[in-house]
Amino acid sequence: MLELAILGFLAEGPLPGHELRRRVSQLTGYTRPVSDGSLYPAINRLTRAGLIERRADPAAGAARYVLSLTAAGRADMLQRLRKPADHEITDFTRFYVVLAFLSQLPDLAERHAVLRRRLEFLEEPASFFYDNERPVRAEEIADPYRRGMLLTARATSRAERTWLRETLGEEPPVFDTASTNSDPHTPAAPAS
């Protein structure tokens, strides 16, 4: 996720390290704050791999530099966007990083393939809570806080599925348009 965010922002143009850090932090928000201890090692890995280059920025002062994407970095970023890993489709925050840069893919069919994977994932019944293998619905839970989790997840999932279908030019399934009892789909827990 961090490497894709770095490559994606640099695809928009060269940036000094501190500006890149600010943009990545804003994208990932409070859920995954970006520390110097994770950002700068990622920058160093991408530099060693020849995906980004670092050059001094004398106008900005000593020890300041500007990062830019190389041709190999652009190719790598496009490949990451074409074929996101399963956890980048199923994890809400990771998918949003993919979505933030998906317009970089020049081929509409490739962008739509990624969106279809996300839609398929969201259409599978799921929950934060299970009774054996069966997802537990909000209406079955007495605890108001757990019910709130499920109702919020349901509303978020419906909104996202609606947007995905509109973007893909697809009609919603009949069972989803009038149903108030469909199980929410909640994003998978973040991978460590």
Side-chain angles (χ1 to χ4, degrees):
M1 177 190 79
L2 180 57
E3 290 182 358
L4 178 58
I6 291 168
L7 296 171
F9 281 120
L10 293 178
E12 296 171 356
L15 292 170
H18 68 279
E19 177 62 18
L20 178 62
R21 182 179 191 271
R22 185 182 69 78
R23 290 185 188 190
V24 170
S25 293
Q26 288 174 339
L27 177 62
T28 59
Y30 68 92
T31 58
R32 297 205 176 133
V34 178
S35 69
D36 289 346
S38 59
L39 179 67
Y40 292 104
I43 288 171
N44 290 335
R45 281 191 307 274
L46 293 169
T47 301
R48 281 192 305 273
L51 303 180
I52 62 176
E53 62 183 17
R54 180 186 330 209
R55 63 183 189 282
D57 185 7
R64 295 287 186 164
Y65 56 90
V66 173
L67 301 165
S68 58
L69 195 64
T70 65
R74 180 170 299 282
D76 184 83
M77 178 200 64
L78 293 174
Q79 186 57 33
R80 290 173 192 241
L81 291 170
R82 277 184 194 103
K83 304 274 186 205
D86 287 342
H87 67 275
E88 293 169 332
I89 294 293
T90 61
D91 179 272
F92 183 79
T93 303
R94 290 176 189 267
F95 180 71
Y96 270 35
V97 172
V98 171
L99 196 57
F101 304 107
L102 198 58
S103 63
Q104 295 281 341
L105 278 178
D107 185 356
L108 180 63
E110 290 177 332
R111 293 191 304 259
H112 280 193
V114 172
L115 297 181
R116 279 191 188 91
R117 284 180 61 199
R118 177 70 176 179
L119 182 58
E120 288 170 9
F121 166 71
L122 290 174
E123 288 181 335
E124 290 295 317
S127 178
F128 287 111
F129 310 104
Y130 286 81
D131 180 9
N132 293 316
E133 298 295 315
R134 185 185 64 79
V136 176
R137 295 172 48 241
E139 293 76 12
E140 300 174 88
I141 294 185
D143 183 301
Y145 308 105
R146 287 185 174 195
R147 187 173 52 252
M149 288 173 62
L150 294 176
L151 291 172
T152 302
R154 178 187 295 166
T156 302
S157 176
R158 281 186 180 162
E160 186 177 354
R161 287 180 292 164
T162 297
W163 174 81
L164 286 165
R165 286 186 195 109
E166 287 172 1
T167 302
L168 293 168
E170 297 177 0
E171 293 294 318
V174 173
F175 68 86
D176 196 19
T177 56
S179 174
T180 58
N181 295 323
S182 63
D183 289 319
H185 196 290
T186 55
S192 300

